[in-house]
Amino acid sequence: LPELLAWRTEVAQELAQGADADGTLAAADQRRGKAEATCLLAGRALTKKRLAAAKEWSATLTRELKPLGFPHARIAFEVAQRARGAPRPRAWTTCS
């Protein structure tokens, strides 16, 4: 019986959402907007960390090459942003 009562409440909530489709869509859009803003903020923080790490590791590894007999060698890590378009759910690493 408790499962039936819980299911009844769940069904009532789903029916209420269906009756107010515009309100439900507006609320979903608002949640999506907040989630997007949160993700963009986290992405900016991650980019700052990546830029700092790239600078640090480039210098560190370049220094490490000199005692190995590579006095003119240089290792450089570059963090580049996408030129345009919406963020993708998956990132690809490229080497050049």
Side-chain angles (χ1 to χ4, degrees), residues 5-16:
L5 292 174
W7 181 68
R8 179 178 180 240
T9 303
E10 184 180 325
V11 169
Q13 289 173 346
E14 288 177 9
L15 288 172

Side-chain angles (χ1 to χ4, degrees), residues 6-95:
W7 181 68
R8 179 178 180 240
T9 303
E10 184 180 325
V11 169
Q13 289 173 346
E14 288 177 9
L15 288 172
Q17 287 178 348
D20 182 21
D22 290 336
T24 301
L25 288 173
D29 189 51
Q30 186 178 22
R31 285 193 310 274
R32 184 208 48 83
K34 286 180 182 178
E36 182 179 8
T38 300
C39 287
L40 289 173
L41 190 62
R44 286 185 193 108
L46 181 58
T47 295
K48 286 181 182 180
K49 289 179 181 180
R50 286 177 174 166
L51 289 168
K55 184 177 180 180
E56 177 185 344
W57 280 100
S58 294
T60 299
L61 293 177
T62 297
R63 263 193 319 275
E64 295 293 325
L65 290 173
K66 288 180 177 141
L68 297 174
F70 298 100
H72 303 292
R74 180 175 171 262
I75 294 179
F77 293 97
E78 181 180 320
V79 178
Q81 295 182 356
R82 290 191 52 196
R84 61 189 149 163
R88 293 183 186 169
R90 166 182 311 147
W92 296 98
T93 302
T94 59
C95 296

